[in-house]
Amino acid sequence: MSQHDSIRAVEWKDNHLVLLDQRKLPHNEQYVQLYGAEDTAEAIRNMVVRGAPAIGIAAAYAMVMAARKSYKQYPGDWRVRLDAEKDLLMNSRPTAVNLMWALQRMSSALDSIESDPESPLLELAQRIHQEDIEANYLMGELGSALIPRSHGVLTHCNTGSLATGGYGTALGVIRSAYSNGKIEHVYADETRPWWQGSRLTAWELVKDKIPAHLLCEGAAASLMRQGKVSWVIVGSDRIAANGDVANKIGTYSLAVNARYHGVKFMVVAPTSTIDMKTLTGNDIPIEERAPEEILNVGNQRIAALQAQAWNPAFDVTPASLVDAIVTEKGVVERPTAEKMAALMAL
């Protein structure tokens, strides 16, 4: 499958973090060099890096850099000094649970470190990164097995190599299914207002030579009505204990449309995205971003000067509209709280 896996958006080079600037794609492939937790938190907040798994991996590497600085400046008190930078990273984006999961995993490792923390923390961050890639390959095969041959699929937002450590979650399933001859064509929503579908997903599909068409969100129902797709395949930023799914705004309407048209709905995410402490989707914090993202396209104002805007970055799809949640631990079909608990107990 390497011919459909050519992109890495998060990398550790020498002593620092390097991110492919996703705000510049698809026209410019520019990389941002980061040397600390503060600039990494800013990069997460400003969407240089996005996608729940990728954010978690970037934050893990940021903890390495923060610990290195803290140990150098305060060798006797470095653990306590780390707390402020950890909190800065934790608060950079509120909805994606992978961010909190990765930071907690890095923090837990501090207890067993006696001296210079850089080397053991770097080893752990690199392990988190590699585990994500391996999980994505496994989810790709598990999700592909659910798809009948010779069909189109519809996806939303970006869930590929750009959103993860590599290969992707929902786009990993699509890559795998295409390699296995299961998918003939991919349809990708533009994903307004940040255009992750237009700028990122379409770029990945073109780069890896997978046939695809873009469509605006409003065209999805007509596409389904024409029988062009058998599955909607999306990722997630947080999955509640009962199987409710928070994902990029527009996912909920896709699920409603899919159910009406008899199209299956698949969510692909690692178990680090499942938050068993969040009982239902009603308890998931939904990030609201600046209204300017709706009122402008780039730097160009498109709305009337007096217009206001509501800009939730995510919505919640009830578990009752989900046909399958695909994780690296296995597939949960028609998710319920009991099935999610059984999965997480594996």
Side-chain angles (χ1 to χ4, degrees), residues 288-296 301 303 306-312:
E288 288 195 26
R289 295 182 63 83
E292 285 73 24
E293 293 178 358
I294 301 286
L295 302 171
N296 301 346
R301 176 84 176 199
Q306 309 306 318
Q308 300 181 64
W310 179 50
N311 187 19

Side-chain angles (χ1 to χ4, degrees), residues 241 271 276 329 331-332 336-346:
T271 50
M276 297 302 286
K329 286 188 174 182
V331 177
V332 178
T336 63
E338 293 74 23
K339 291 179 181 179
M340 298 303 293
L343 172 80
M344 295 304 283
L346 292 174

